[in-house]
Amino acid sequence: MTAASGKRLGRVLVQSGLITQEQLDAALAETSGRSLCQVLVDQHITDEVTFARSVAESMGLAFVDLGAIDIDPNAATMISVEIAHRHSVLPIRVQDDELIVAMADPANIFAIDDLRIVTGYDIKPVVAAESDLQASLDRLATMQANVEDMVGDLEGASLDVGDDDEQADDEEAPVAKILNHIVTEAIRQGAGDIYIEPGEREIRVRYRIDGVCQEIMRSPMKIHRQLLSRLKIQCAMDISEKRVPQDGRFGVVLDGKSVDFRVAVLPTVHGEMSVMRLLRKDAIMMSLEDLGFLQQPMDRVMEAISRPYGALLVTGPTGSGKSTTLYAAINKTTKPTVNLITVEDPVEYRLEGLSQVQVHEKAGLTFASALRSILRQDPDVVMIGEIRDKETATIAIEAALTGHLVLSTLHTNDAPSALTRLTEMGVEPFLSASAINCVLAQRLARRLCKECREEYTPDEDVLKRIGFPYEPGKPPRLYRAVGCNKCNNIGYKGRMGIHEVMSITEEIERACVNHASGDEIARIAIEEGMLTLRDDGFAKVLSGLTSIEEVMRVVV
């Protein structure tokens, strides 16, 4: 920030009433090597967000939270890192033939002129908090420098087409460095999945962090073939086969922690895309208490798995944490005196103290055939990765009725629908109602960042519209996401479960036998005290753990 632009910005702030002329004069006297914002923050006159919002409002500009918006990588790379840092600016997107640029100091007309000349676009400034802007620029610069170095090495290798496989198999090859960089950054940022997606001219890399996809980088399409070959070699896949889907896995150790990767490669019109799911062994060793249960649902689950026989079904969509919950339940039941066997497709986490069976349908080892053999091993507890068909469902239910504790998953939207889904699969209602101890439906919601969450009073009309419980005229004080450096300016850090636990009582069993609908079973369960997914989510909103917006995002 130049002295001249600092004075212009100061006059704007004095006119807005944020600071006095005396405070401005004192601050300007100390701005040597520092921005006006930094001086005012150090003097405890204001904070960065208030400063940025006041500047935006006074100059008739928009304020942006860089952690809450998608930044177009093509726009961000229109200017060099040097120019971006020199002027503290970050292009975020092109809109209506204008380049939208986030600035800490929109009064800096020299920066705007430079950007107009370099990019060829008319510049439309928006205002961002200074520290958020610097953090975004640092992340962009680091990623850009690493990728440019590695891509430059790759291009400098001058390999013939026939050398791709040899290049991909070389641990020191540039393509290996790119893949290692993608993988290690994903682990350090806490990603759950990595997507490498080919386009017409470039490949896009995205991480799924706390359940939400974030674009990390783009690279030239010319590295795609070697990158996929390298990944296939890591996973012991056939690198010559590019027409059919392939699956594999590999493992790495970073910072003393072991992480397994489950990899799926899928042919698309622009080439093969790959998805890598990160399987952290320390994450799967979580206990049920760590998963965010309220006391009443927790008591119901504990009561169900403490029985010597019966079934606990965990339901929910893909990626809702069903496997994590099953493994947490296994941790509760694993003892030297208990024979525990699992049948999974695939075996995501390889654990000590239990026998794990991998489904292999081409060889004839299906869930159903594996289950038949497992039951001849006299197990006390059986974990079935997923109930997919009538045969598997029937054997699982019969096992639960004949003295085994069965843990499994099912794809339904809520807990009551599990009983009707089994009936639709062809299981007799009187069998499933008798065999099942408990059904747990769940979703994963992001936790609010404790460092930056903001307390506020919600609008009563909004609370009424979504059915949030409150006393009329006395809306509760809740929290919402803001964003800071600790949470990468997202406002959320980490995830927790939202649960709906339905114990099978005599009344519910009778309704199931009489072919009651899912809605009717739900009504009975609620009358008997079941907390629905929305009830559980709203209770966690009241506790300050998450926000209304996040609960409404994940709960139907």
Side-chain angles (χ1 to χ4, degrees):
M1 182 181 293
T2 65
S5 66
K7 289 179 181 178
R8 284 194 293 270
L9 206 54
R11 286 197 294 269
V12 169
L13 296 174
V14 170
Q15 291 170 2
S16 71
L18 181 67
I19 60 175
T20 65
Q21 184 63 49
E22 290 74 19
Q23 288 173 325
L24 173 61
D25 293 339
L28 289 174
E30 297 184 27
T31 53
S32 178
R34 293 192 297 166
S35 69
L36 178 62
C37 176
Q38 291 170 338
V39 173
L40 292 175
V41 170
D42 289 346
Q43 293 178 349
H44 304 292
I45 294 173
T46 185
D47 60 78
E48 286 191 355
V49 173
T50 303
F51 180 95
R53 288 185 182 277
S54 296
V55 169
E57 185 177 346
S58 300
M59 299 183 67
L61 302 175
F63 170 82
V64 294
D65 177 357
L66 292 177
I69 64 170
D70 292 325
I71 298 171
D72 182 352
N74 291 325
T77 53
M78 281 185 180
I79 62 173
S80 67
V81 173
E82 291 76 20
I83 292 176
H85 273 292
R86 187 193 315 146
H87 296 307
S88 289
V89 295
L90 176 63
I92 55 179
R93 67 178 178 275
V94 176
Q95 181 176 300
D96 299 330
D97 294 326
E98 291 182 315
L99 183 62
I100 312 298
V101 179
M103 306 180 68
D105 178 15
N108 189 343
I109 56 176
F110 300 106
I112 294 173
D113 286 342
D114 280 355
L115 294 177
R116 186 182 296 113
I117 293 168
V118 169
T119 65
Y121 280 95
D122 287 334
I123 306 301
K124 182 178 180 180
V126 294
V127 186
E130 189 170 331
S131 63
D132 290 353
L133 190 56
Q134 288 301 323
S136 297
L137 288 174
D138 289 342
R139 285 196 299 272
L140 181 67
T142 302
M143 183 67 74
Q144 232 177 297
N146 288 334
V147 174
E148 283 175 1
D149 288 346
M150 291 182 281
V151 172
D153 291 343
L154 187 59
E155 291 173 343
S158 300
L159 291 174
D160 295 330
V161 174
D163 294 331
D164 280 356
D165 297 346
E166 182 182 341
Q167 158 81 354
D169 198 20
D170 182 0
E171 290 290 339
E172 297 301 318
V175 70
K177 294 179 182 178
I178 294 177
L179 184 60
N180 291 343
H181 176 73
I182 292 170
V183 166
T184 54
E185 278 299 306
I187 296 172
R188 286 178 174 142
Q189 292 189 34
D193 298 284
I194 306 171
Y195 300 88
I196 301 178
E197 303 160 304
E200 189 173 349
R201 297 183 180 85
E202 57 189 0
I203 61 173
R204 176 175 67 168
V205 179
R206 294 190 295 168
Y207 295 162
R208 186 182 293 276
I209 301 174
D210 290 338
V212 178
C213 286
Q214 300 177 22
E215 185 170 315
I216 301 302
M217 71 182 210
R218 296 194 181 211
S219 290
M221 191 63 186
K222 64 183 74 174
I223 74 169
H224 177 253
R225 180 167 50 188
Q226 291 170 307
L227 190 61
L228 262 290
S229 293
R230 172 67 189 171
L231 182 59
K232 287 180 179 180
I233 289 169
Q234 289 275 83
C235 302
M237 296 181 188
D238 183 355
I239 62 173
S240 64
E241 181 57 77
K242 298 177 173 63
R243 300 165 299 173
V244 297
Q246 296 189 67
D247 296 307
R249 63 190 301 149
F250 68 95
V252 301
V253 177
L254 182 68
D255 300 332
K257 294 183 179 179
S258 177
V259 181
D260 286 337
F261 288 78
R262 194 181 79 203
V263 182
V265 174
L266 177 70
T268 70
V269 292
H270 294 300
E272 293 174 292
M273 72 168 287
S274 68
V275 180
M276 292 176 266
R277 171 153 290 187
L278 283 72
L279 307 172
R280 295 175 175 82
K281 292 184 179 178
D282 55 345
I284 207 62
M285 298 310 294
M286 295 173 71
S287 67
L288 284 171
E289 290 82 1
D290 297 329
L291 300 181
F293 279 93
L294 298 179
Q295 191 60 49
Q296 188 238 49
M298 181 70 178
D299 291 342
R300 292 186 171 198
V301 171
M302 292 300 294
E303 194 272 335
I305 63 176
S306 65
R307 296 185 189 181
Y309 57 86
L312 167 66
L313 298 183
V314 183
T315 76
T318 301
S320 60
K322 299 188 297 295
S323 295
T324 301
T325 299
L326 279 185
Y327 279 110
I330 284 175
N331 291 337
K332 284 288 184 185
T333 56
T334 302
K335 302 173 186 174
T337 56
V338 172
N339 183 16
L340 196 156
I341 306 178
T342 77
V343 53
E344 305 167 64
D345 183 24
V347 175
E348 292 188 337
Y349 299 93
R350 298 173 185 180
L351 305 176
E352 298 292 332
L354 63 151
S355 302
Q356 296 174 276
V357 178
Q358 167 73 56
V359 167
H360 196 310
E361 294 193 359
K362 289 183 180 179
L365 184 60
T366 63
F367 275 112
S369 62
L371 263 178
R372 289 194 196 92
S373 298
I374 284 171
L375 294 177
R376 289 194 282 272
Q377 307 294 322
D378 191 25
D380 299 297
V381 182
V382 179
M383 194 272 267
I384 307 166
E386 182 183 344
I387 294 177
R388 295 178 178 174
D389 51 43
K390 177 184 176 181
E391 192 176 12
T392 306
T394 301
I395 298 171
I397 293 300
E398 289 174 353
L401 288 169
T402 54
H404 306 85
L405 179 61
V406 176
L407 311 174
S408 189
T409 70
L410 197 63
H411 284 290
T412 64
N413 286 328
D414 57 16
S417 299
L419 296 175
T420 56
R421 178 62 55 83
L422 289 171
T423 302
E424 291 165 1
M425 283 185 173
V427 179
E428 290 294 338
F430 70 89
L431 288 177
S432 56
S434 301
I436 297 172
N437 297 336
C438 179
V439 182
L440 162 62
Q442 73 174 49
R443 301 289 188 277
L444 287 178
R446 293 177 294 175
R447 290 179 182 268
L448 284 169
C449 174
K450 292 181 180 178
E451 300 294 328
C452 63
R453 64 179 185 173
E454 178 182 75
E455 191 176 12
Y456 76 108
T457 301
D459 187 274
E460 288 195 47
D461 290 338
V462 173
L463 298 181
K464 288 178 185 175
R465 188 168 65 251
I466 64 175
F468 194 94
Y470 77 102
E471 185 179 341
K474 297 181 180 179
R477 298 284 293 172
L478 305 179
Y479 289 89
R480 59 188 170 197
V482 176
C484 65
N485 291 334
K486 295 286 181 66
C487 60
N488 282 334
N489 293 308
I490 294 171
Y492 298 94
K493 193 172 181 64
R495 290 194 288 178
M496 64 181 176
I498 293 179
H499 306 99
E500 177 178 282
V501 182
M502 181 180 75
S503 298
I504 307 302
T505 62
E506 288 185 12
E507 187 69 24
I508 291 176
E509 187 175 338
R510 193 158 40 244
C512 182
V513 170
N514 291 331
H515 295 272
S517 66
D519 289 341
E520 178 63 19
I521 294 173
R523 183 189 62 77
I524 297 170
I526 291 170
E527 288 177 355
E528 293 180 343
M530 180 186 79
L531 294 176
T532 65
L533 285 166
R534 186 170 289 198
D535 293 337
D536 191 83
F538 287 162
K540 286 162 183 171
V541 171
L542 284 169
S543 300
L545 297 174
T546 189
S547 65
I548 286 179
E549 292 78 13
E550 182 65 8
V551 170
M552 299 307 293
R553 183 181 72 87
V554 300
V555 176
V556 178

